[in-house]
Amino acid sequence: MKIGIGNDHSAVEMKQEVMKFLQDLGYEVVNYGTDSTESCDYPVYGEKVGRAVAAGDVDLGILICGTGVGISLAANKVKGVRAVVCSEPYSARLSRQHNNTNILAFGARVIGIELAKMIIEEWLNAEFEGGRHQRRVDMIMAIQDK
Ligand code: RB5
């Protein structure tokens, strides 16, 4: 499975640790983020990963900025993206099982790397349950076409 990762200047170190973690788990990782700590604009990276996921260039995306908020908001503007910001594993798991999220975001200034790893594992190991959840996800996605 291929995972696209994106980040702004606030999350360079965490991005590198997350990339290593994912590679050690056997995932292929594509880096769409910045590797510089010079101040930059998070919407650029949210959009890049959002477009890569929507186009099928990668299977899933992970986004990290200071809070995870701005970068996920940007990704959610790309048609086909369902990005979630999570600071704990329960919502991360449910966001896949019920909401079929395709991008996970979190904040490098909010959580530490060990919690980030738990959240990522929970998210990646969960599966969309379909059924009534499919109907609701379809309703969400229909909003962007109205
Ligand atoms: C950058 O200072 C910060 O605003 C950004 O990383 C993020 O937290 C935005 O939501």
Side-chain angles (χ1 to χ4, degrees), residues 71-89:
I71 205 162
S72 62
L73 286 174
N76 271 319
K77 293 296 178 191
V78 177
K79 190 171 174 172
V81 166
R82 290 175 301 282
V84 63
V85 193
C86 279
S87 298
E88 40 77 28

Side-chain angles (χ1 to χ4, degrees), residues 16-73:
Q16 283 158 358
E17 288 178 276
V18 167
M19 282 184 70
K20 184 178 179 327
F21 174 67
L22 292 170
Q23 284 157 350
D24 288 348
L25 287 174
Y27 293 99
E28 189 182 336
V29 185
V30 184
N31 181 11
Y32 294 94
T34 181
D35 289 308
S36 164
T37 52
E38 199 170 311
S39 183
C40 63
D41 299 325
Y42 58 79
V44 170
Y45 305 100
E47 182 180 358
K48 274 187 190 191
V49 172
R51 293 209 181 279
V53 169
D57 297 340
V58 293
D59 300 293
L60 294 170
I62 292 182
L63 290 170
I64 324 171
C65 65
T67 57
V69 174
I71 205 162
S72 62
L73 286 174

